[in-house]
Amino acid sequence: MNRMLHTLTLAECAQKLDAREISSRELTQACLDRIQKVDPVVKAFLRIDPADALAQADATDSLRAQGATSARQPLLGIPVGMKDVIAVKGHTLTCGSRILGSFVSPYDATVTEKLRSAGAVIFGRLNMDEFAMGSSTENSAFFTTRNPWDPSRIPGGSSGGSAAAVAADEAPAALGSDTGGSIRQPAALCGCVGLKPTYGLVSRFGLVAFASSLDQIGPFTKDVRDSARMLSVLSGHDRRDSTSLPRPVPDYEKALGGGLKGMKLGLAREFMVGGLDPEVKAAVDAAVRQLTALGAEIVEVSLPHSEYAVAVYYIIATAEASANLARFDGIRYGARVDGADPIQLYERTRGLGFGAEVKRRIILGTYVLSSGYYDAYYLRAQKVRTLIRQDFLNAFEKVDAIVSPTTPTAAFKAGEKTSDPLQMYLSDVFTISCNLAGIPGISIPCGFTRSPHLPIGLQLLGKPFGEETLLRVAHAYEQSTNWRRERPPL
Ligand code: GLN
């Protein structure tokens, strides 16, 4: 029986740990064994420190022996993987980049502290596209993570390591970050649940910034209940992040159940056309019928400015990235390549330290912010961003949530889009407007393509701070289907 511990959900782990059927050491060891078995193929982890993980596990086992339970500490003794862009004190924080290849974090991110207080075993560093720029993990300076359903394909990105680790049962849950889809897109392509919370709900203190007006941290889990549980742990005001909002944190798990009677769900006309793979469309259509059968009313809504979302995103995100990445100069952080003078030092350090995609973004971002172009690109993009948000707010006057595909296609082959950045950028057409609008979004499994057999994701978008409704709809759909029970053939 213990050989299957790695397949348990967070809720199942907590229940077995509380009942003393298993120990955290056994659970953690089961995940380490699973990693040893499948990670040579999946390559989700950049680093893992078994001794450190087991020491944390033992500490939680002692707490349990003294009477601690999951009632006060919902993750007590449960391993949670970390995308390598979130600070864990004393651990490397490479962001998938050579420039931070040996950088060790001097402090914990707020989410790391929160996981610790909830009792989690903080577990491993997960691969990602360099500085979270990408949709396939192929921009990692170290290696490409593979899709557990078909290792010749990519797991999505930028949080590809987190998605692949959870889908491959290497970790019961993991954290990722989402700036334009980096949680939802890989969750869809790997067949797990990925949630991007409302901007301002989860603190980004200790998350290395990519595009500060868009970045959010969120969980990858095996099911929706676990996603709710993780969100309750991660959310809450933090005075160290000025964009974090002072709001009480609900118990998101309490929002589950209750069904969909009386619920209105929007289907965005603009999201169901152009470039959408027929099998993905069929799966989403079937999910919509299923939601109707569960009692929801489907209403067509319009998001007329969403066609500009990718263009707007690649102006705003690159502009912010060019400013955020200025700090990696060889003086303050990470690797240094010496030069005859400071300018040469900067040039050499950044020239060798950053990969091609990061350089492309810095160049684009610097361009759209430069005098003479600022008004034409950056300012205009900001105005269109407001219109995109307004489209959503208008739609949410009529509906409780919006349903769409998460991605236009299932997982593509490694190497298929690396020579064409625009094709790569288009894999985020359905996820990007959510970040521009600051609203929450979740991706849940809704079927498989036939041959090859690859997961398809359904995206649900909610009102600002509408996570309870979002999770309730996602949970009702999930519980009426069996998609989550299928495991990759590893
Ligand atoms: N794929 C998008 C990009 O390359 C989104 C990345 C993200 O959400 N971090 O920017």
Side-chain angles (χ1 to χ4, degrees):
M1 194 288 276
N2 278 3
R3 285 181 47 241
M4 296 306 282
L5 291 185
H6 57 274
T7 63
L8 300 177
T9 64
L10 293 181
E12 290 164 346
C13 290
Q15 186 255 319
K16 287 189 190 299
L17 286 162
D18 282 347
R20 307 287 173 88
E21 277 174 48
I22 58 170
S23 66
S24 171
R25 172 169 270 267
E26 286 169 317
L27 175 61
T28 305
Q29 188 62 56
C31 293
L32 292 169
D33 292 346
R34 177 73 178 168
I35 292 169
Q36 201 171 30
K37 179 162 173 244
V38 302
D39 214 53
V41 173
V42 177
K43 298 163 92 172
F45 286 86
L46 285 168
R47 264 192 196 79
I48 179 107
D49 183 343
D52 174 64
L54 290 170
Q56 294 179 58
D58 288 344
T60 70
D61 282 333
S62 317
L63 288 174
R64 255 204 179 82
Q66 292 157 34
T69 68
S70 68
R72 297 266 312 264
Q73 290 182 283
L75 302 174
L76 190 63
I78 305 179
V80 176
M82 299 292 257
K83 183 177 182 180
D84 206 16
V85 70
I86 299 170
V88 176
K89 187 175 177 176
H91 287 240
T92 49
L93 178 60
T94 70
C95 301
S97 182
R98 270 192 303 276
I99 209 163
L100 292 176
S102 50
F103 180 75
V104 173
S105 175
Y107 61 84
D108 273 344
T110 297
V111 291
T112 307
E113 285 177 357
K114 284 180 180 284
L115 289 177
R116 285 195 205 284
S117 354
V121 171
I122 312 246
F123 185 72
R125 310 295 301 163
L126 289 159
N127 196 24
M128 55 182 284
D129 285 296
E130 185 174 10
F131 287 106
M133 297 173 189
S135 310
S136 66
T137 77
E138 289 166 298
N139 295 334
S140 164
F142 306 110
F143 46 79
T144 300
T145 297
R146 299 292 164 158
N147 193 303
W149 295 88
D150 174 354
S152 72
R153 292 170 192 270
I154 55 81
S158 62
S159 316
S162 305
V166 172
D169 292 321
E170 295 174 276
L175 295 194
S177 63
D178 189 314
T179 304
S182 278
I183 292 176
R184 291 157 289 150
Q185 186 256 22
L189 301 191
C190 289
C192 51
V193 174
L195 171 67
K196 186 210 82 87
T198 305
Y199 189 76
L201 185 64
V202 175
S203 166
R204 289 101 41 86
F205 177 78
L207 169 73
V208 178
F210 162 13
S212 307
S213 76
L214 302 159
D215 302 337
Q216 269 290 293
I217 294 171
F220 287 89
T221 53
K222 296 188 210 256
D223 69 12
V224 175
R225 175 171 300 282
D226 284 1
S227 189
R229 193 169 288 196
M230 288 289 285
L231 188 63
S232 298
V233 169
L234 300 173
S235 304
H237 180 243
D238 178 13
R239 56 177 183 78
R240 294 175 297 185
D241 174 355
S242 60
T243 65
S244 140
L245 285 162
R247 293 171 63 94
V249 177
D251 179 346
Y252 290 104
E253 235 175 305
K254 288 226 173 84
L256 307 180
L260 300 185
K261 287 246 155 24
M263 193 83 81
K264 285 195 177 140
L265 300 179
L267 198 56
R269 206 179 302 140
E270 295 82 359
F271 280 15
M272 291 304 278
V273 288
L276 187 56
D277 176 86
E279 283 187 283
V280 173
K281 181 170 188 318
V284 173
D285 286 342
V288 168
R289 285 195 296 278
Q290 178 71 7
L291 288 163
T292 314
L294 291 168
E297 185 191 334
I298 304 293
V299 180
E300 196 178 275
V301 294
S302 175
L303 302 167
H305 298 94
S306 58
E307 67 171 296
Y308 306 113
V310 173
V312 165
Y313 171 85
Y314 279 95
I315 293 173
I316 293 176
T318 57
E320 294 182 14
S322 71
N324 275 327
L325 269 58
R327 74 191 60 163
F328 302 107
D329 55 8
I331 307 286
R332 286 171 288 182
Y333 300 95
R336 172 183 302 183
V337 185
D338 273 321
D341 53 45
I343 298 293
Q344 200 179 51
L345 183 153
Y346 294 152
E347 282 173 0
R348 287 187 177 170
T349 299
R350 289 166 68 83
L352 290 168
F354 290 138
E357 182 62 26
V358 172
K359 287 179 188 162
R360 180 182 295 125
R361 305 273 179 121
I362 292 173
I363 292 167
L364 270 171
T366 310
Y367 176 76
V368 299
L369 288 175
S370 57
S371 90
Y373 295 103
Y374 182 95
D375 288 0
Y377 294 112
Y378 185 72
L379 199 62
R380 188 174 277 198
Q382 290 290 19
K383 290 179 181 170
V384 181
R385 178 181 188 169
T386 303
L387 297 173
I388 290 171
R389 178 173 164 88
Q390 200 52 54
D391 284 350
F392 277 105
L393 299 183
N394 293 343
F396 288 131
E397 289 190 355
K398 287 186 260 164
V399 297
D400 301 290
I402 293 173
V403 188
S404 83
T406 308
T407 58
T409 66
F412 45 91
K413 291 259 187 199
E416 193 178 313
K417 301 192 181 185
T418 37
S419 56
D420 187 347
L422 196 57
Q423 278 311 310
M424 189 71 92
Y425 296 173
L426 285 174
S427 63
D428 301 307
V429 271
F430 302 129
T431 48
I432 272 176
S433 44
C434 164
N435 303 71
L436 291 169
I439 59 175
I442 190 169
S443 179
I444 54 174
C446 75
F448 291 86
T449 58
R450 195 170 314 170
S451 175
H453 190 66
L454 299 169
I456 300 172
L458 180 75
Q459 178 176 243
L460 297 163
L461 300 171
K463 299 179 187 179
F465 300 101
E467 277 83 354
E468 287 169 282
T469 306
L470 213 55
L471 288 159
R472 181 166 150 198
V473 178
H475 186 249
Y477 172 77
E478 174 197 75
Q479 293 301 308
S480 73
T481 65
N482 274 317
W483 308 120
R484 69 191 177 289
R485 300 197 201 286
E486 266 193 68
R487 313 306 308 159
L490 281 166

